[in-house]
Amino acid sequence: MMKYLWHDERLTYDGTQLSSLFAYRNFSIQGNSIIGFQGPCHVSIEEMVDLADVKQNAHIYSLKMVHFIVEVFEMDLVKTVYIQRILVSLVKEILEKLSVQGVVRRGDDLYIADKKLSVSIATLSPVSTMIHFGINVSSEDTPVPTLGLNDLNIDAVVFGEMLLKEFSDEVESVNMARCKVRGVL
Amino acid sequence: MMKYLWHDERLTYDGTQLSSLFAYRNFSIQGNSIIGFQGPCHVSIEEMVDLADVKQNAHIYSLKMVHFIVEVFEMDLVKTVYIQRILVSLVKEILEKLSVQGVVRRGDDLYIADKKLSVSIATLSPVSTMIHFGINVSSEDTPVPTLGLNDLNIDAVVFGEMLLKEFSDEVESVNMARCKVRGVL
Amino acid sequence: MMKYLWHDERLTYDGTQLSSLFAYRNFSIQGNSIIGFQGPCHVSIEEMVDLADVKQNAHIYSLKMVHFIVEVFEMDLVKTVYIQRILVSLVKEILEKLSVQGVVRRGDDLYIADKKLSVSIATLSPVSTMIHFGINVSSEDTPVPTLGLNDLNIDAVVFGEMLLKEFSDEVESVNMARCKVRGVL
Amino acid sequence: MMKYLWHDERLTYDGTQLSSLFAYRNFSIQGNSIIGFQGPCHVSIEEMVDLADVKQNAHIYSLKMVHFIVEVFEMDLVKTVYIQRILVSLVKEILEKLSVQGVVRRGDDLYIADKKLSVSIATLSPVSTMIHFGINVSSEDTPVPTLGLNDLNIDAVVFGEMLLKEFSDEVESVNMARCKVRGVL
Amino acid sequence: MMKYLWHDERLTYDGTQLSSLFAYRNFSIQGNSIIGFQGPCHVSIEEMVDLADVKQNAHIYSLKMVHFIVEVFEMDLVKTVYIQRILVSLVKEILEKLSVQGVVRRGDDLYIADKKLSVSIATLSPVSTMIHFGINVSSEDTPVPTLGLNDLNIDAVVFGEMLLKEFSDEVESVNMARCKVRGVL
Amino acid sequence: MMKYLWHDERLTYDGTQLSSLFAYRNFSIQGNSIIGFQGPCHVSIEEMVDLADVKQNAHIYSLKMVHFIVEVFEMDLVKTVYIQRILVSLVKEILEKLSVQGVVRRGDDLYIADKKLSVSIATLSPVSTMIHFGINVSSEDTPVPTLGLNDLNIDAVVFGEMLLKEFSDEVESVNMARCKVRGVL
């Protein structure tokens, strides 16, 4: 089961949110979960977990994003990266349901016509694996050319709540797909 | 690494292909792999591994499909179901690159306007996990309303070779994403 | 989550029930589950999975038992044996709540004053791990001295439904206990 | 194998004992182990690993307890929580052997008539999983109503050494139960 | 722990010995184990588990070998192949202690001057992983040029008992090496 | 796949190199890898990860060594200790190919006539498992009697590059051995 919660208050994502039991500490949500909220994104080099970004000194900044923090209480990071990819695919699919065309996924990034929509990372904590996914609401002042939900006329809350629900459903559907087959030789 | 091979001869998929070491026995491909080929699809109830289909006595039949057999030499079926979902997402994305619009994914199924494009299953063998994914080439005589690559003016071989390459790249990209992050607290 | 169901019709346990997807095939319960029912117990040597019993040619027979079939969709049999031990502990605890004194657990067996109350086994299927636990209702004609729920004035259905509920709660409580702690050094 | 040692000197449990290789650093016991000793219990909020307690600002304090530190050199915390539950069940069973009646287990806690006997927690270290279990010797000055071994006329050392031996035997019995069954279909 | 037993009676290895609980069924040895014995080796194509051999129609035959059957009650075949490699390394090292020079290991095979000394395979059973390792005693009538313990003036029983002991010690030493380190960043 | 790199510049091994993503941070090598280089070895007690050494206050010091840092992006330390043992076996085998006789392996140490050739350790990082293996080039001023590659007239670079290649090949060969067998009963 993947519990979910939309948190209605603004929260700046500065990287420290990607720490174990984020949902339990802040929202008393215990177990695998996805939490959504809005707020600026500003991750300093010290807080970055993606060493590819650190090596390139890539700045992660956005005036306003919808953020999602996923926690999975298993220690298999490869599996969690697959979960992350499915999360990113779902974002693309939800945008399509909201009539946005031309969204392209490359790994864990989303683009429209080479403008970047999102940032994402997956990593291990001492007790779990975790994903951050952020999609721009505003596209102003970003370090690379971006597009945001505002540019696409998508309401951030409508989008956020759809993703929470569909991601939770997808995880449940995967768990059930595992429990309906006989083995083969 | 996910090795891949397009097999140019026709092969009927009757369910017996979903057995361990399919790629090694037939094509001397050793290790994680995806094999693509064309041919009819006709799975009898006895060969079905999806008990949901067995319970509904659902007939799996297609005059012509592009088939993919994936083998992953790990025993975690939940992870392999995630890999399967990513494979299905990639099919949708490739169809979009080939200018097909309106493809909708529901779990491990693909639809266009409620016409079914594909069938898929993932399961365990005694030594590995395995996925079958088949997409219709022909939509004639199928037990439910379907659409095929022919209806979409997509060349089966072009499509098949694109998917093999992109799936292999995606798996590699996931494996690399696992190897670039520091842990968090 | 551990789904549970009390099946009200009689069913003879002959060992063939300990096979994967028992709950899904028979009761459309998908996922980790425990199913309870009443019926005779008669397992022939061919159906025995416990080679310790086979080696001793131990006959498993009871005129009437309450049976429980647990399926856990993971492949770690050691973990499932721990789950089995907790299940057996819960049976002892429920009997105590029902005012039965002197129940002693030895491994996966329960005794009162050296009379055997129960049989149990845990094993692997190709897609899951499985537990059978049976507790005598009748103590007549058993191959070793036994005691049954009838001798203890316990209603089999009341007992069975209590165990289903408490086992499901215990599994949930374990899963939640895993998701509330920070790591240590 | 689960090695065990009764340490005869007093030691205050302040939470820092719940760290990896406790048995190896202090007693040169290498491998899975359980160590028992007596001493006060006083865990400050900073040392608490149970965030449920931290959130409630629950104080863990006892004048005198028998403490057990278990270390399991695997990284599956769910399995270790099951091991913890079995440990707690064994405590109840040993108290019964020592003629204490009315012990009730709720999750990882033990009660007699709503008086709390024990505290326990299980968590991950960077190299292992760990359990602390403490049972009151004294019931004076505790933050909630408690009962201790003194109130039950149980000798702490007799109890402690029984638990070490029976827990070690139970773990061995589980490991052996895993190695005597054929698979099922 | 790796239990070991030298079985003094002749036994033909025909492939059927590589099945789960071989040591438990035949010698009442429960848990991880290595069993050694002498006898002919004659594995028909139907009993071969190495599909590389099956594909090449490679005949496995020896008039007399020392055989070892290892069973590890875990499901990670990659790990068991590493265990197999260490077993083969130990054979080389024991031959050196017995003053045999020039033994070369290539994967899981041993050679002296391009004459083959041994055969080996590792695979999964439904409940465990298993290794067969056989070293020629006689080099007569083998399908490829071989050398046997007789040619090297090594007593088969002396060799066999040394390997059992050293393999068991090596496994224990690995298990202990896992339990003496702190983590790093 | 096990990527490998010989780093031609001198680097002192002081223990801090045994930290996650060493190869990625320094050499942009992403994924499982082994890196070889030359330099002094001087590990202070604070940096030691082997608590057996810490307990004995064992000083690790060498004027010049060939060092290897292995990183495996899995969390199973027992498996990585087996990989370490195979690495050490390979060092012995390469020395033999370079005409050095009398190399004896004891666990993860190498000796010639009781003179120590090497040091090694394996541990967990938050995101991977890691191995350090160092073999003396110089045998001067070491805390215990040692022998170095200089004493054996072995060129450190020739040796280092051989080991990188053979270790990478061995890992690949193990991975392939896992993918060629059918299961047994």
Side-chain angles (χ1 to χ4, degrees), chain A:
Chain A
M1 204 164 71
M2 177 63 62
K3 295 169 183 169
Y4 60 93
L5 177 84
W6 178 257
H7 177 61
D8 240 339
E9 289 168 52
R10 296 293 143 104
L11 212 63
T12 297
Y13 181 82
D14 61 11
T16 60
Q17 290 75 24
L18 198 68
S19 88
S20 56
L21 299 163
F22 170 76
Y24 185 57
R25 290 176 206 258
N26 294 285
F27 310 110
S28 295
I29 304 239
Q30 203 174 349
N32 293 348
S33 68
I34 181 168
I35 306 295
F37 58 89
Q38 289 188 77
C41 183
H42 180 45
V43 184
S44 63
I45 291 285
E46 296 75 40
E47 289 297 334
M48 282 184 180
V49 299
D50 186 337
L51 296 197
D53 289 344
V54 172
K55 285 164 81 91
Q56 294 163 34
N57 207 18
H59 201 51
I60 298 179
Y61 177 77
S62 175
L63 220 70
K64 192 166 160 198
M65 275 188 152
V66 186
H67 300 283
F68 300 91
I69 309 279
V70 178
E71 186 160 18
V72 177
F73 287 91
E74 284 185 77
M75 306 310 277
D76 183 340
L77 182 49
V78 171
K79 191 196 281 187
T80 296
V81 175
Y82 280 110
I83 294 173
Q84 179 196 25
R85 297 285 162 106
I86 280 292
L87 177 71
V88 178
S89 290
L90 280 172
V91 172
K92 169 173 149 58
E93 292 166 15
I94 286 171
L95 291 176
E96 289 164 1
K97 286 181 190 170
L98 297 171
S99 303
V100 179
Q101 308 249 313
V103 183
V104 173
R105 181 180 69 85
R106 291 184 203 134
D108 55 15
D109 286 325
L110 292 174
Y111 295 87
I112 295 178
D114 288 320
K115 293 189 168 171
K116 206 162 181 278
L117 292 178
S118 63
V119 295
S120 188
I121 194 68
T123 192
L124 277 156
S125 88
V127 297
S128 59
T129 50
M130 304 202 71
I131 302 167
H132 171 248
F133 177 82
I135 185 164
N136 292 308
V137 176
S138 158
S139 57
E140 289 174 56
D141 292 333
T142 51
V144 295
T146 61
L147 220 54
L149 294 179
N150 283 349
D151 305 301
L152 303 167
N153 290 315
I154 305 272
D155 182 85
V157 178
V158 167
F159 166 81
E161 293 189 337
M162 278 180 79
L163 184 61
L164 293 176
K165 175 76 172 65
E166 298 220 356
F167 179 63
S168 175
D169 288 350
E170 182 90 31
V171 169
E172 182 64 10
S173 141
V174 167
N175 289 340
M176 286 301 103
R178 191 254 174 270
C179 303
K180 65 169 187 176
V181 288
R182 65 167 181 83
V184 293
L185 284 189

Side-chain angles (χ1 to χ4, degrees), chain F residues 75-100:
Chain F
M75 306 310 276
D76 183 340
L77 183 48
V78 172
K79 191 196 281 187
T80 296
V81 175
Y82 279 111
I83 295 173
Q84 179 196 24
R85 297 285 162 107
I86 280 292
L87 177 71
V88 178
S89 289
L90 280 172
V91 171
K92 169 173 148 59
E93 290 166 14
I94 287 171
L95 290 177
E96 289 164 0
K97 287 183 189 169
L98 296 171
S99 302
V100 178

Side-chain angles (χ1 to χ4, degrees), chain F residues 1-4 23 29 31-35 69-72 167:
Chain F
M1 205 163 70
M2 178 61 62
K3 296 169 183 170
Y4 60 92
I29 305 239
N32 293 349
S33 68
I34 180 167
I35 307 294
I69 308 280
V70 178
E71 186 159 19
V72 177
F167 180 63

Side-chain angles (χ1 to χ4, degrees), chain B residues 39-104:
Chain B
C41 183
H42 180 45
V43 184
S44 61
I45 291 285
E46 295 74 41
E47 289 298 334
M48 283 183 178
V49 300
D50 186 337
L51 296 197
D53 289 344
V54 172
K55 285 163 80 91
Q56 294 163 34
N57 206 20
H59 200 51
I60 298 180
Y61 177 76
S62 175
L63 220 70
K64 193 166 159 195
M65 275 188 153
V66 187
H67 300 283
F68 301 91
I69 308 280
V70 178
E71 186 160 17
V72 177
F73 287 91
E74 284 184 76
M75 306 310 277
D76 183 339
L77 182 49
V78 172
K79 191 196 282 187
T80 296
V81 174
Y82 279 111
I83 294 174
Q84 179 196 25
R85 297 285 162 106
I86 280 293
L87 177 70
V88 177
S89 288
L90 280 172
V91 171
K92 169 172 148 60
E93 291 166 15
I94 286 170
L95 291 177
E96 288 164 2
K97 285 182 190 169
L98 296 171
S99 302
V100 179
Q101 307 248 315
V103 182
V104 173

Side-chain angles (χ1 to χ4, degrees), chain F residues 2 7 13 89 100 104 111 114 119 136 138 155 163 171 179 184:
Chain F
M2 178 61 62
H7 177 62
Y13 181 82
S89 289
V100 178
V104 173
Y111 295 87
D114 286 322
V119 295
N136 293 309
S138 158
D155 183 84
L163 183 61
V171 169
C179 304
V184 293

